[in-house]
Amino acid sequence: MSEFPPSTVLQCGRHSLDLSRPRVMGILNATPDSFSDGGRFNAIDAALAHAEHMLAEGAAIIDVGGESTRPGASPVSLQEELDRVAPLVERLVNELDVLVSVDTSCPEVMREVTALGAGMLNDVRSLRRPGALDAAAASQLPVCVMHMQGEPGDMQRDPHYDVPVEDAVTTFLAERVAACETAGISRDRLIVDPGFGFAKTLEHNLRLLKRMDALAHLELPVLVGMSRKSLIGKVLGRTVEERLPGGLALATLAVERGARIIRVHDVGPCVDAVNMTWAVLQEGENQ
Ligand code: 9MG
């Protein structure tokens, strides 16, 4: 088992997140599919109820996103992203007092959700958009930087790496960590993510998970997101709705390899899988 990082408490606005053991992050989409019936206000009520359910099931963080990052997804305008995310973040913070992470690459959204009380930023583009490093630095919040080549729209077009994928990912993340530190984001605010499913073939994804210990060199908490992703569908021949058992196997392996935040749709089953795995890993550790 990997021993990184030994113990870390992240200060997430007015919430503390103890990552001395793995935690589960519940996914809350604020994309058009979730607004498809009943209009925006009903959808926000439904999203709040879903967040409450995920918290009851043991989620430590709720990750809100207004832009679909699925392969081939088209970009959304800044105004649309703000309209989708801001009212939801505001109500989550005020009504549920929950640690809210916001999945965004836009500096304007980062600033707005920080003002509304979000506790973490999650950027699949690793703060590479103009102004994103400065906005994240000013927020004082922890930030998750993720590995991706290209953009969600084109990332799955023949992804290729000149070195083993785990080395490419580690080198990329080390560069982004250095850029963050230069911009004034200290290491105690950083989380890294290998970006499963982002610009990676099935073989890249499987190898990356098997060799995830390579990320230990970074000495930072690791977040992973594999829930319902196509790598499970490709191996098992399952539809999106049938991918939970495969996802639990992947979550278990990720925890065994040192991941400290597991980003998932199905919180309850994942909390059990994570806690069971952790109990085995901890056996005899404190004697
Ligand atoms: C928004 N989003 C979708 N998949 C993700 C993943 O694997 N990691 C992170 N950090 N965010 C993701």
Side-chain angles (χ1 to χ4, degrees):
M1 180 191 62
S2 310
E3 293 295 332
F4 70 97
S7 158
T8 314
V9 178
L10 294 187
Q11 207 47 54
C12 307
R14 57 202 165 97
H15 294 270
S16 296
L17 180 65
D18 179 1
L19 293 181
S20 60
R21 55 168 299 138
R23 305 288 173 185
V24 171
M25 168 187 263
I27 299 170
L28 193 59
N29 285 324
T31 45
D33 335 353
S34 48
F35 295 139
S36 57
D37 53 0
R40 224 174 266 264
F41 292 107
N42 289 346
I44 292 179
D45 283 338
L48 277 170
H50 185 49
E52 223 169 347
H53 179 68
M54 291 195 284
L55 291 174
E57 287 189 319
I61 313 159
I62 300 294
D63 190 42
V64 176
E67 181 200 17
S68 175
T69 49
R70 260 177 285 189
S74 27
V76 291
S77 71
L78 167 61
Q79 193 54 53
E80 182 59 24
E81 192 181 342
L82 277 172
D83 290 347
R84 290 176 187 179
V85 165
L88 183 52
V89 170
E90 187 169 28
R91 288 195 55 191
L92 284 166
V93 166
N94 292 331
E95 294 176 34
L96 300 185
D97 189 30
V98 51
L99 168 46
V100 177
S101 157
V102 178
D103 150 27
T104 184
S105 300
C106 286
E108 295 84 352
V109 177
M110 291 176 190
R111 278 191 285 273
E112 178 75 19
V113 299
T114 301
L116 291 172
M120 186 183 288
L121 301 172
N122 171 27
D123 185 3
V124 298
R125 295 181 183 78
S126 234
L127 305 178
R128 285 179 290 162
R129 284 217 176 132
L133 275 168
D134 288 343
S139 76
Q140 308 279 346
L141 299 177
V143 187
C144 176
V145 290
M146 195 197 80
H147 174 268
M148 171 171 58
Q149 265 183 353
E151 281 285 315
D154 64 11
M155 66 182 176
Q156 286 307 102
R157 223 173 281 152
D158 195 22
H160 170 80
Y161 298 94
D162 292 329
V163 294
V165 64
E166 66 276 16
D167 294 344
V169 166
T170 307
T171 302
F172 172 95
L173 290 173
E175 283 168 6
R176 294 316 298 156
V177 167
C180 286
E181 289 190 88
T182 303
I185 306 172
S186 53
R187 288 181 66 81
D188 60 359
R189 286 172 51 199
L190 287 173
I191 301 162
V192 291
D193 182 338
F196 288 102
F198 287 84
K200 291 164 190 89
T201 63
L202 173 60
E203 291 68 32
H204 290 144
N205 285 308
L206 297 179
R207 181 181 169 114
L208 193 51
L209 181 55
K210 190 166 182 186
R211 311 278 166 94
M212 218 181 77
D213 300 47
L215 296 187
H217 295 301
L218 299 170
E219 297 184 322
L220 288 169
V222 175
L223 184 156
V224 297
M226 293 180 277
S227 175
R228 299 185 186 172
K229 285 191 179 170
S230 68
L231 78 143
I232 305 170
K234 284 178 185 153
V235 172
L236 302 178
R238 302 291 183 212
T239 64
V240 172
E241 296 73 29
E242 296 168 341
R243 294 178 186 168
L244 176 57
L248 296 179
L250 297 177
T252 299
L253 288 165
V255 168
E256 198 270 339
R257 284 157 173 73
R260 288 299 162 91
I261 304 178
I262 315 292
R263 182 180 182 275
V264 295
H265 300 86
D266 304 286
V267 168
C270 188
V271 166
D272 277 0
V274 165
N275 288 347
M276 196 66 239
T277 309
W278 189 245
V280 174
L281 295 177
Q282 287 308 102
E283 170 54 25
E285 291 292 310
N286 298 322
Q287 288 166 4

